[in-house]
Amino acid sequence: MSKILTRAEVDTETTWNLNDIFETKEAWEAELNAVRQDISSVTKYEGRLGEGADTLLACLFAQEVLQGRINRVGAYAHLHQSGDSINPENQMNAAKARDLTSEVSSALTFIKSEIIALPDGTIDQYIMEQPKLREFERSLGLLLQTKPHRLTAETEKVLASFGEVLGAPYRIYERSKLADMTFPSAKNGRGEEVPVSFALYENKYVESPDTDLRRNSFRAFSETLYKYRNTFAEAYGTEVKRQVIESRLRGYDSVTDMLLTPQQVTTEMYNNILNILQEELAPHMRKYAALKKRVLHLDEMTFADLKAPLDPDFIPGISFQEAGGLIKEALSILGPEYGEIVSDAFNNRWVDYADNAGKRTGAFCMSIPGVHSYILISWADSMRGAFTLAHEVGHAGHFMLASKYQRLTNSRPSLYFIEAPSTMNELLLADHLLARSNDPRMRRWVISQLLGTYFHNFVTHLLEGELQRRVYDLAMKNVPITAVKLCELKGDILSSFWGEGVVIDEDTKLTWMRQPHYYRSLYPYTYAAGLTASTAVAQLIREEGQPAVDRWLEVLKAGGSMSPLELMKLAGVDMSQPDPIRSAAAYVGSLIDELESLY
């Protein structure tokens, strides 16, 4: 049986180079202590923001500098822990960074409190007097909109000081998942025992052409999940309760309203994504599941079979290096400035693609002010992995351009838009693969991979979003969130979406335990929102060519200087209407129809 490597055993070249942030851990420790000492560079303005425009500007500048420094300190510790959460030193350093973040956050709450306490019209007057404040006009305006829900200055400070404690539910979830969970081995179709881990199951076995391996590994995977179900439910239930309590303290009508506010999204836009896609996409996905069952000659379609390859004898493998070259080619359409970012990502060890014990599951991109982006993924020589990698490179390209053209305060857009640039890259990769091959089997395979992108965003994350919606509705009615309730909700959601054609058993109902996104406010549904927008923009690029590309690059450079609706309208898409959502669902249906015609 093959061995799961420790972090010390993997090739250094497969890991990211964190020396770009700090050359040594000693340098990181020194900066951590220096940041603590320099909190006074901002707090010296406490009680003075009413003095005038110049004082406010100086305070905002100082805050931005300190925030960039704390971001680098936190990122260094977080990335080390993401690569190896078992390492005690990484755990300790991550805790130190979180403590410092809470301390800084608490100390700086006076800024928001004092700005909100200024007489009406003061900020407008300040901006007229000091033109340099215009760069902060948007963030100041968004802050003033929260005035009805702002607590007293002292209360806000106390809440911020509890940041480390209030973030405990997510850390308990991650620590249990990455450091404590061990899984029994599973047998493949040849009767061989293979190891099972979060990364191996989700990155490899779930898409294996070996039906026995898919089903046996899912059973082994779920066996361990079951043992932790009550702990995970308690952690998630506590997170939800925290959010509900805060929403009531702040006077919001619901926790959902509070969580949508920073996204700058209406409740109608939120519900449109969840309602329309579940209703209009479900028939297409049921057809897709039936196609897989027929082509693969399965006795039944289980949840473990949904990502099985349609053509088990044609599964193009790809090395990480080959995937990097392919992604560079596919994204060359976005021009040289974007291309340079992509090249740097692959040439300068921005990507950690090792597969080791204790490494965080899934994939993510973190962009660090004054440094660059970092990408985490566990590589399994799968072309599906190339799409995931292109996705994360999309985040990197977006964040790097936004940081280049916007101040830190305006660099990060709303969560509602955040997944559009990443999913766009997956669509561009698919177009590139289809354009360079006339092989019918390759076309079938690429369409299957494209459907994998839609499955991930329009099914997996969308249905996570539906679970969140139901959980928050129950929590607002003071219904306890338990493991039994979460399994019941997940089972009902999956059964409603897939119908009778897919077996939804007790193991399947545990899938709410697999994703960390529930701890990131209303994040899951935004994957579907982003892909809806990128689907529409990708079609505009196919139809218009360079003008549509140019608009898209302007959107990326705009960062968070516009609302998500404004960003999407700049790209040529109106997400305030249901039409793009319906068109995206219909497009998925057309892909499935074409795939069916090829078998």
Side-chain angles (χ1 to χ4, degrees), residues 50-176:
E51 290 180 1
D54 289 340
T55 302
L56 176 60
L57 179 66
C59 180
L60 295 178
F61 277 155
Q63 178 192 31
E64 204 172 52
V65 170
L66 190 68
Q67 190 60 57
R69 292 174 67 190
I70 191 64
N71 286 351
R72 289 189 285 277
V73 167
Y76 184 80
H78 176 75
L79 294 175
H80 269 290
Q81 187 175 35
S82 295
D84 184 5
S85 64
I86 299 172
N87 185 306
E89 184 180 10
N90 291 346
Q91 295 176 6
M92 181 177 65
N93 288 341
K96 286 182 181 179
R98 289 193 301 268
D99 284 340
L100 178 62
T101 299
S102 293
E103 186 177 342
V104 171
S105 180
S106 177
L108 270 53
T109 57
F110 79 89
I111 299 175
K112 291 182 178 179
S113 295
E114 288 189 28
I115 290 172
I116 283 176
L118 292 172
D120 291 347
T122 301
I123 292 298
D124 291 336
Q125 183 62 36
Y126 279 3
I127 292 172
M128 289 178 60
E129 295 173 4
Q130 176 49 268
K132 290 182 180 179
L133 276 174
R134 290 201 182 103
E135 294 182 317
F136 297 92
E137 185 172 9
R138 174 168 166 73
S139 58
L140 289 170
L142 291 173
L143 172 60
L144 291 176
Q145 289 175 21
T146 69
K147 186 172 183 176
H149 305 288
R150 191 76 179 170
L151 304 175
T152 66
E154 186 59 32
T155 303
E156 293 288 356
K157 187 170 186 176
V158 170
L159 277 177
S161 69
F162 274 99
E164 169 76 355
V165 176
L166 296 177
Y170 171 65
R171 293 196 307 279
I172 291 169
Y173 168 79
E174 285 283 280
R175 191 68 55 82
S176 298

Side-chain angles (χ1 to χ4, degrees), residues 248-269:
R248 288 171 175 163
L249 286 173
R250 294 188 181 282
Y252 285 94
D253 291 336
S254 71
V255 64
T256 299
D257 287 339
M258 181 184 77
L259 297 177
L260 285 176
T261 296
Q263 293 187 14
Q264 304 151 54
V265 169
T266 65
T267 305
E268 182 182 17
M269 291 167 63

Side-chain angles (χ1 to χ4, degrees), residues 314-316 383 433 441-449:
F314 186 79
I315 305 179
M383 276 291 281
L433 288 169
R441 295 185 81 183
M442 177 57 82
R443 183 168 188 84
R444 289 192 315 202
W445 183 86
V446 173
I447 292 173
S448 293
Q449 297 311 300

Side-chain angles (χ1 to χ4, degrees), residues 317-422:
I318 190 167
S319 69
F320 175 79
Q321 290 72 22
E322 291 169 334
L326 182 65
I327 291 169
K328 289 178 194 176
E329 293 174 7
L331 302 183
S332 62
I333 189 175
L334 297 178
E337 185 177 23
Y338 193 98
E340 184 177 350
I341 296 170
V342 179
S343 294
D344 285 344
F346 290 110
N347 295 337
N348 299 327
R349 284 179 57 201
W350 294 8
V351 185
D352 191 300
Y353 61 97
D355 186 5
N356 59 263
K359 183 175 180 178
R360 177 174 163 169
T361 62
F364 71 75
C365 173
M366 173 178 279
S367 292
I368 305 168
V371 188
H372 55 70
S373 297
Y374 282 96
I375 293 168
L376 177 141
I377 188 173
S378 293
W379 197 254
D381 292 326
S382 159
M383 276 291 281
R384 181 66 223 153
F387 279 80
T388 303
L389 187 55
H391 177 107
E392 300 305 336
V393 169
H395 284 308
H398 180 201
F399 297 149
M400 294 289 287
L401 286 176
S403 295
K404 181 178 179 179
Y405 289 94
Q406 302 296 330
R407 297 197 68 88
L408 180 61
T409 189
N410 287 332
S411 63
R412 199 167 184 87
S414 158
L415 269 181
Y416 188 82
F417 178 79
I418 210 86
E419 295 298 337
S422 54

